[in-house]
Amino acid sequence: MFIVEETIAGPEAAQIPKQRGESLLETAVRYAEERHWDVFPGTWLEAVDGSQRCSCGDAACPAPGSHPARPDWATQATGSATVARRMWQKQPAASILLPTGRTFDAISVPETAGFLALARMERMELTLGPVTLTPDRRMEFFVLPGAAAKVPDLVRKLGWSVSSLDLTVLGEGAYVAAPPTRFGSRGAVQWACRPTPANRWLPDAEELVSPLAYACGRDR
């Protein structure tokens, strides 16, 4: 059974990113160093009048503490652990954001469809990459880059209209928030399927589209 992982423990722990008991800085460095993911610091949460507000200054920010802090974020993203450490040393509370379209794309579906798809994938014995669970009730399945161009056609071949499914692909020019980034008071991003040495090699979108489209169709 797939379970939401908050802590990564056991003999593999030295090789993969932790969540608890480790600073955002050290986690960001691990993502760059051990997964070879590009990372960049986003906004952060600040205490204002007894509540937590986004550092962007917008009291109605839709993604408080979990979006890019500057417009040139794509050029700021780095795969260097040394540079990542230097960036988070400047702002240790900054969220950890990962650009898509580089080392991975992400297929985003509603949480309910995501759990249904995970159960189906387990029965199909599919090999998954990491999967995040966000506080806004989305699951993001990491797949090989290029999914953004492939998925619409793959979904149509399965007999679905792309516009009828709540299934989107985050590719070049987009990003995902990585655990343990917090979305204001809504909670933190978690791993539904944690990064491990076994899933360092990501699946192609074609392998996951069928169960994901089926689950989204059931979830409508």
Side-chain angles (χ1 to χ4, degrees):
M1 176 182 290
F2 293 96
I3 21 180
V4 173
E5 294 278 359
E6 287 198 10
T7 305
I8 296 175
E12 296 174 341
Q15 305 172 47
I16 50 181
K18 299 177 183 178
Q19 287 190 70
R20 282 187 177 169
E22 192 166 64
S23 67
L24 287 160
L25 183 156
E26 293 299 334
T27 304
V29 167
R30 278 176 172 266
Y31 288 147
E33 189 170 58
E34 298 175 9
R35 297 300 291 199
H36 304 296
W37 290 337
D38 283 3
V39 297
F40 68 97
T43 52
W44 56 93
L45 297 172
E46 298 177 331
V48 178
D49 297 328
S51 62
Q52 290 190 318
R53 298 277 183 87
C54 185
S55 61
C56 72
D58 182 359
C61 178
S66 57
H67 64 85
R70 42 194 276 186
D72 63 343
W73 61 264
T75 61
Q76 186 189 24
T78 180
S80 164
T82 301
V83 176
R85 182 177 297 279
R86 191 159 57 239
M87 289 194 294
W88 266 271
Q89 282 174 338
K90 292 178 180 177
Q91 181 44 257
S95 53
I96 303 173
L97 305 180
L98 312 174
T100 50
R102 300 187 183 187
T103 50
F104 64 88
D105 282 0
I107 303 176
S108 176
V109 300
E111 175 187 302
T112 49
F115 278 118
L116 178 62
L118 284 176
R120 191 174 178 86
M121 290 171 186
E122 184 179 25
R123 291 194 298 272
M124 295 168 70
E125 298 184 345
L126 292 178
T127 301
L128 292 179
V131 181
T132 61
L133 175 61
T134 71
D136 56 0
R137 304 180 70 83
R138 305 287 299 182
M139 275 191 180
E140 292 163 345
F141 291 72
F142 290 22
V143 294
L144 288 172
K150 292 181 181 179
V151 166
D153 190 49
L154 291 171
V155 169
R156 282 191 291 270
K157 286 180 178 178
L158 290 168
W160 296 97
S161 162
V162 178
S163 60
S164 69
L165 299 180
D166 188 1
L167 181 155
T168 58
V169 184
L170 303 169
E172 187 175 357
Y175 62 89
V176 297
T181 295
R182 296 192 66 82
F183 281 38
S185 61
R186 283 176 275 171
V189 184
Q190 302 176 65
W191 290 116
C193 291
R194 63 183 184 170
T196 69
N199 65 18
R200 184 175 295 278
W201 303 105
L202 300 176
D204 190 278
E206 191 167 359
E207 300 173 60
L208 306 189
V209 162
S210 178
L212 286 172
Y214 170 80
C216 287
R218 286 277 305 271
D219 193 48
R220 289 187 303 174

